[in-house]
Amino acid sequence: MSQKNNNRHNNQIIKKTRSLLIAGNWKMYKDHNEAYNLALTLKERLADISSIKVVICPSFTSLHTVSLALKGSSLLLGAQDVHWEKEGAFTGAISPLMLLLLGCRYVIIGHSERRNLFQETNKTINLKLKAVLKENLTPILCIGETLQEREKGNTELVIEDQLKGGLVDLPAEDVGKMVLAYEPVWAIGTGKTATPKQANDVHIFIRKKIEEKVGQEIAKNMSILYGGSVKPENAKDLLREPDIDGALVGGASLNEESFEKIVRSGIDLL
Ligand code: PEP
């Protein structure tokens, strides 16, 4: 059996080569008081966690209260979106600097809900990536195919197109600072999860494309998260895969118990 398969099937010998990152995307749930309370609870429940990066991404209106709640903990703050301009007449928009000053370290960019419901394109995603990197924030770039695209056998084409368009003119050094999240659209909020092998195969493909663009060293060290109905019941099997370096969690991150269990599934693999 190859080393790769060994890693997949034998719990005893798994060792992650990259550090794990678990991010919770709270979407448009929780007002600023509820978000504060949940963040405080997570801070207490995850107080012993230092070997895994844990990022919490509440809505814009909760960033301030959540940053207050997380003070003194290793949990990190992230936003769910951003605008690419520094400032100006852009009603309703939020700049990277505004996020930085609120204590954000991460920004989710190109989530499928932004792409599909808010007409976000690879072009605007590319602008956002550049703007965020300029402020030393870490982008979590989401990519993934729809069910129709998968059934047509176009998964790799779609992923390649999203990577190519999203990463236009980004120097290798900047690509190396990013986190990627493979989120098959058909698995987001649907209860359907990609099997660990399905997900890992796409992660391997993504890493190969990154390697072609910016070289083996950066590709080897890049964190590629999986997202799509990650729950306590399936987290360990997904995280155990050699090319899955963490999870972007939607629904299950809104509950302290399930989010804690997901984070602890990762700890068990280190
Ligand atoms: C997400 O919002 O990025 C996500 C993966 O959602 P869920 O875990 O609910 O499928």
Side-chain angles (χ1 to χ4, degrees):
M1 197 186 264
S2 70
Q3 181 60 32
K4 200 169 89 192
N5 283 337
N6 249 342
N7 279 344
R8 178 170 296 136
H9 295 297
N10 185 339
N11 293 2
Q12 302 308 310
I13 59 164
I14 296 150
K15 278 285 161 236
K16 302 302 283 184
T17 51
R18 289 165 287 273
S19 60
L20 283 173
L21 190 158
I22 309 286
N25 173 13
W26 291 358
K27 309 198 185 194
M28 199 174 74
Y29 294 102
K30 311 273 177 206
D31 64 35
H32 66 287
N33 288 317
E34 293 166 338
Y36 177 82
N37 289 330
L38 178 56
L40 215 52
T41 306
L42 288 171
K43 173 181 167 175
E44 282 160 16
R45 292 180 83 125
L46 298 173
D48 59 314
I49 307 280
S50 58
S51 50
I52 286 188
K53 279 188 194 152
V54 180
V55 181
I56 289 172
C57 305
S59 57
F60 288 133
T61 55
S62 299
L63 286 171
H64 182 55
T65 53
V66 170
S67 83
L68 295 177
L70 296 185
K71 271 216 162 74
S73 90
S74 64
L75 274 59
L76 301 161
L77 187 65
Q80 299 173 18
D81 187 29
V82 67
H83 188 60
W84 57 85
E85 293 287 352
K86 221 174 165 148
E87 63 178 1
F90 302 102
T91 302
I94 311 282
S95 76
L97 182 60
M98 289 170 175
L99 297 179
L100 185 74
L101 294 175
L102 274 172
C104 287
R105 301 270 304 277
Y106 289 81
V107 187
I108 298 172
I109 293 181
H111 191 280
S112 63
E113 286 151 17
R114 300 295 317 170
R115 292 179 191 258
N116 299 330
L117 303 173
F118 299 94
Q119 291 77 48
E120 219 160 86
T121 63
N122 287 335
K123 170 104 182 93
T124 55
I125 287 165
N126 178 249
L127 291 169
K128 290 179 180 191
L129 288 172
K130 287 175 181 160
V132 156
L133 286 158
K134 219 179 255 172
E135 295 297 351
N136 287 321
L137 288 158
T138 302
I140 302 177
L141 169 63
C142 300
I143 51 177
E145 81 288 0
T146 62
L147 184 58
Q148 205 183 21
E149 288 161 344
R150 174 163 279 263
E151 283 173 347
K152 279 191 183 154
N154 287 342
T155 299
E156 292 190 351
L157 273 178
V158 171
I159 298 281
E160 194 167 358
D161 179 65
Q162 289 171 338
L163 282 175
K164 208 168 159 196
L167 303 182
V168 169
D169 291 338
L170 274 178
E173 192 194 342
D174 276 354
V175 174
K177 292 177 186 158
M178 297 173 39
V179 171
L180 294 179
Y182 169 55
E183 298 212 307
V185 181
W186 48 272
I188 297 179
T190 59
K192 284 185 197 156
T193 322
T195 64
K197 163 139 178 39
Q198 264 176 334
N200 196 63
D201 285 350
V202 180
H203 283 226
I204 290 171
F205 176 77
I206 293 169
R207 207 176 296 285
K208 191 176 100 197
K209 290 291 131 190
I210 294 294
E211 182 178 334
E212 283 168 17
K213 185 170 169 67
V214 292
Q216 193 186 31
E217 194 55 26
I218 289 175
K220 193 179 73 185
N221 292 319
M222 174 160 263
S223 288
I224 307 178
L225 317 182
Y226 169 78
S229 297
V230 175
K231 305 181 205 74
E233 303 80 57
N234 58 24
K236 197 179 267 184
D237 285 341
L238 287 158
L239 295 174
R240 176 179 289 143
E241 290 293 321
D243 275 86
I244 298 183
D245 311 312
L248 180 51
V249 186
S253 71
L254 292 163
N255 174 279
E256 59 267 27
E257 202 177 313
S258 55
F259 192 61
E260 180 185 357
K261 280 186 183 156
I262 292 170
V263 172
R264 294 201 184 277
S265 320
I267 303 271
D268 295 345
L269 297 170
L270 296 173

